[in-house]
Amino acid sequence: MLKSMTGFGRFEEVTDQYKISVEMKAVNHRYLDMNIKMPKKFSAFEAGLRTLLKSYIQRGKVDIYISYEDYTEGNLCLKYNRTLAAEYVDVFRQMEEQFGIRNDMSASVLARCPEVLTMEEEPEDEEHLWKIVSGAVEKAAERFVQTRLDEGERLGRDLTAKLDYMLTLVDFIEERAPVLLREYRQKLEDKVSELLASAAVDESRIAAEVTIYADKICVDEEMVRLRSHIVSTREKLAAGGTVGRELDFIAQEMNREANTTLSKSNDLEISDRAIALKTEIEKVREQIQNIE
């Protein structure tokens, strides 16, 4: 299916332990340019997230915002330093012997000694964090892609309508060109007859002049190529996929054929259609810039 390069996707998950939000938005860009903003604790996952997102996005300037709130109060835990506690007990015993004082050491007293009991933050489980982040990013990416598909469908319909109109212009030029030659021949014969009065008209000379004129104004090749480009564009639009760059190249070729047709034409009706073709081709090119 056809996809637009503009899109938006958002996913939020809230549990008793955390809240994570992922928001994605994109605009047109020649290549894939991803900018990820996320908490520092997720920095190690950036390469993995980029690889993951490339399976959903091929082109566009994409901004990804990830926010995370931890409801576990920092995952703090109490740490007991057995070695240090033993040293405190040994020192207190030595003080009792040296100074002849009573050793009133108890567990509660020992616990109040510096560094015996400390509060430390438990290390994060990276595998668990990756599962949370990657899962949220995938769900946001799925919604993001769906908006691109919806917009791509609308683009496809609009482009197809423009291509259909362009074909009617090509049809007119192809039908008008032979008539133009007949009109030119008739005018030439009438002019020669008027100048020569009763003298016989040299048909071979007339034919030669018409042939020279036909070579100057002939746009058969341009129309054949232009029709082929229009048909090819319609087929690629119907096939979908990542076709934006290819369609942009075809549109440039169509514009070249329309320019050549306009430069060759000395007929008002053909010129008008060639100008209309250029106008429609420019509209098509603008729309193609939105296709992934």
Side-chain angles (χ1 to χ4, degrees):
M1 297 177 68
L2 201 65
K3 286 192 286 187
S4 167
M5 274 197 286
T6 57
F8 178 83
R10 190 175 190 280
F11 177 77
E12 182 177 277
E13 183 179 20
V14 181
T15 70
D16 294 337
Q17 295 181 324
Y18 62 84
K19 173 185 175 182
I20 185 168
S21 299
V22 180
E23 186 174 293
M24 301 173 58
K25 58 182 180 180
V27 294
N28 302 349
H29 198 274
R30 190 173 180 182
Y31 305 106
L32 176 58
D33 179 15
M34 286 191 290
N35 179 34
I36 304 177
K37 294 184 179 180
M38 57 186 172
K40 188 176 180 180
K41 68 191 306 179
F42 295 155
S43 298
F45 303 144
E46 182 170 351
L49 290 176
R50 288 182 179 275
T51 301
L52 174 64
L53 288 168
K54 284 179 181 178
S55 64
Y56 291 92
I57 312 164
Q58 282 71 51
R59 289 180 68 202
K61 186 178 187 307
V62 189
D63 291 314
I64 302 102
Y65 303 94
I66 303 174
S67 64
Y68 182 79
E69 294 180 35
D70 193 340
Y71 296 155
T72 58
E73 298 182 356
N75 291 321
L76 295 177
C77 62
L78 189 64
K79 294 293 184 180
Y80 167 43
N81 192 329
R82 296 174 182 273
T83 302
L84 185 59
E87 291 182 6
Y88 275 119
V89 171
D90 185 55
V91 169
F92 289 151
R93 185 179 297 111
Q94 292 178 32
M95 292 170 63
E96 178 186 23
E97 294 174 355
Q98 182 178 356
F99 299 106
I101 58 177
R102 184 171 65 88
N103 185 356
D104 58 353
M105 175 62 63
S106 64
S108 59
V109 172
L110 182 62
R112 289 195 293 270
C113 293
E115 304 298 325
V116 173
L117 296 180
T118 57
M119 297 293 290
E120 295 183 8
E121 187 173 350
E122 290 184 340
E124 297 282 2
D125 183 345
E126 288 197 1
E127 185 176 345
H128 178 63
L129 277 180
W130 168 250
K131 185 178 179 180
I132 292 172
V133 176
S134 62
V137 168
E138 277 198 275
K139 289 182 173 63
E142 288 168 1
R143 297 178 182 182
F144 171 81
V145 169
Q146 187 57 52
T147 63
R148 281 186 151 197
L149 289 171
D150 294 341
E151 179 63 21
E153 185 178 352
R154 289 189 287 271
L155 281 174
R157 289 197 300 266
D158 181 68
L159 285 169
T160 299
K162 285 179 169 57
L163 293 170
D164 289 342
Y165 174 56
M166 288 167 60
L167 282 176
T168 66
L169 298 174
V170 171
D171 289 340
F172 178 87
I173 294 173
E174 288 179 334
E175 293 172 5
R176 175 63 181 160
V179 175
L180 194 62
L181 284 178
R182 289 196 297 270
E183 291 176 352
Y184 177 75
R185 182 185 181 93
Q186 186 61 51
K187 289 179 181 178
L188 192 60
E189 289 178 349
D190 293 344
K191 190 66 174 178
V192 171
S193 297
E194 181 183 341
L195 293 173
L196 298 179
S198 60
V201 177
D202 187 348
E203 290 293 333
S204 62
R205 182 60 185 272
I206 293 291
E209 289 293 335
V210 172
T211 300
I212 293 172
Y213 179 74
D215 287 340
K216 291 181 179 179
I217 68 167
C218 181
V219 292
D220 290 352
E221 292 183 10
E222 286 77 12
M223 291 302 101
V224 168
R225 287 194 291 266
L226 188 51
R227 183 183 294 276
S228 174
H229 291 326
I230 293 172
V231 172
S232 177
T233 300
R234 292 183 63 179
E235 291 174 349
K236 293 185 184 303
L237 287 173
T242 307
V243 294
R245 292 177 187 168
E246 192 172 0
L247 291 179
D248 186 51
F249 174 76
I250 295 175
Q252 293 179 46
E253 294 300 307
M254 288 194 290
N255 191 56
R256 184 176 291 110
E257 303 303 338
N259 280 333
T260 304
T261 300
L262 186 59
S263 66
K264 286 185 175 182
S265 175
N266 61 357
D267 177 71
L268 181 59
E269 292 187 74
I270 290 181
S271 295
D272 286 344
R273 268 60 179 193
I275 292 171
L277 274 171
K278 283 176 59 63
T279 301
E280 288 303 304
I281 290 169
E282 186 59 33
K283 292 178 182 178
V284 167
R285 286 192 68 183
E286 289 177 1
Q287 291 288 53
I288 285 174
Q289 302 302 315
N290 296 319
I291 297 176
E292 186 177 50

